[in-house]
Amino acid sequence: MINAKRQENNIADRAKLNEIRLRVLATSDLHMQMVAFDYVKDCPNRDGSLAKLATLIKSERAQAARAGTACLLFDNGDTFQGTPLADLLAHKNSEDPHPMVACMKALNFQAGGLGNHDFDHGIDRLASYLKQHEMPVVCSNLTTAALPMIRKSHIVTVPVRAEDPNGEVLHIGVLSTLPDKTALWNRHHVAERAEFSPPLPVLRKEARSLKAAGADVVIVLAHMGLALFDEGKDPQNQISDVAALDDIDVVIGGHTHLRFPGPDHQVLSEADCAKGTVHGKPVVQPGASASDLGVINLKLERSNSASPWTITDAVVTLRHTDKETVEDPEILDIVSSVHAETRAYLAQPVATLPKPVNTFFALAQPSPLPALLAAAKKWLVAEAVKGSVHADLPLVAVASAPLTGGFDGPDNFLNLSKGQINRQHVAGMNPYANHVWAVRTTGAQLLDWLERSVLIFNTLCSDNPDQLLVNPQVPGFRYDAIYGLRYKIDPRNMPLFDPSGKRSPEANGRIQDVQWMGKPLDKEQEFLVATTDHRAGGGGLYKTFGDSEIVIHGHAPLQDAVMEFLMSPENVATETECPWEFVPDMNVSAIMLSAPGAIDYLDEISALKPTPCGETEDGFLRLRVHL
């Protein structure tokens, strides 16, 4: 009986030696949201923050330690851009310790990757941040001498058994990639200084090398998402293809600000949105601005001590932050000084707003905010081309509709009163680190530009009053209006382009009656277009303009242009004529989503005969409008 018991215990011990657990924690698209604070409204908010994630991280680690499970923490990029605090730090040009780096040191991240927005303040500024890191920073498809600290790959070692830290170790290979279109989106920062290779061939090669070097598991920090449609020949969201590569075991996604697992990707046959797998491999994608902590619990087994480890089970979850999540005091303490400095800086008055501005209805009729952004761009470009060969070209300006709810919820709207505005309000008008550029193009290309823009509207029909006006999968910042033209939009028609930018041969398009200076638009006529570096680089799946088409590409931040314009005598932005309208008398009703506070401003869209229809589960006001 005793021998039988010993034999049973020996079998159990051998099984224990050949079965281990590993917990992988992941953040992505933090966008400098270190504390739960709205710098535009100058008040705390209920949203996510790194301080809240720190509470979840410490909880997950403590639970793993009690179970004897190794626990690793990774970040997936778009870390150093996204809030006015980030902009202030970039403009200070200081070598002081960066608070985000200090927070990541305190939380002991094992490695991090880069996102495209990490280059928004310039490659030298990014280098000054990264050299402060103690953790390895990996970017497998980037080659540059300007960032010598970047690694193509890295191996993290963890003890196989927590009770024996000096014994056998597990080797975790880490790769990282970001869209190679970063070279276009940030060309003014990286041109001739950095090369971005297509991700898949690099990952295939580097993953094979890591396995050959002894990596038991290969994790990819993929700063890209799961493509919800065919993105054409130059896709930016390739997680599905990454997960299908042979030597890759786990993928951490980002970039699109969508979540996985969860309902955001139910249209994809290769993705199990309940289990969190793509092509059978564990994948996690936390939402943006510290809204989620990605958690992957892995079970690894081997037949004996000489055989390789294999992932035999994975449980993938997202832990959401909410208003009940307590912010970690250690992180709050690290950030407190620069947080106070940012608030004081943003409180400085800078200009006077001649009329109120809000974005409550910017996707149902022209809004004063895009008009202001367009006027500021146009004013800056007109000044820049004076006396040049481009001065006589007709000048129009493009502006998108930011701050219109969408993925960021019902608080993602702007509402400013007439009168004095501070730096915080200008920061709120344009939350991206965009620069003003100008491109030379034709009337025909302007038409295509508009047709791509109106993809945001669902195809409406007359017998469905509860249809959504706007496709919730298309963010408002992809909706461009062209100021200087006049045109009508018919959302009853099929769009001329599909989401990847391919022309649909059976569609007639939605843009009608386009006029320039009161006359039909000449498709052959050349125009100068004031826009942003992001859009000129093809951001939002628009046309990518070549170097020969770009006329202005200096370093003029859009926020600075807006402030200068508001202080100039030419400040008539909110008086700008409306460039677009829906085709009249369509006899169509649809539901638009806005902020609850929009209920007090319905007179602004009285022509649309708005009818309140309650609120959605996530807090949007539902309005039925009549077109």
Side-chain angles (χ1 to χ4, degrees), residues 154-157 168-173 206-218 249 308-309:
H154 179 64
I155 291 182
V156 178
T157 58
E168 184 183 1
V169 296
L170 191 69
H171 298 84
I172 310 297
E206 295 293 338
R208 187 182 305 121
S209 296
L210 281 175
K211 285 293 178 77
D216 300 294
V217 175
V218 172
D249 302 296
W309 291 101

Side-chain angles (χ1 to χ4, degrees), residues 206-234:
E206 295 293 338
R208 187 182 305 121
S209 296
L210 281 175
K211 285 293 178 77
D216 300 294
V217 175
V218 172
I219 297 176
V220 176
L221 309 177
H223 192 80
M224 52 184 63
L226 285 156
L228 294 173
F229 51 83
D230 179 3
E231 293 185 347
K233 63 182 181 65
D234 295 312

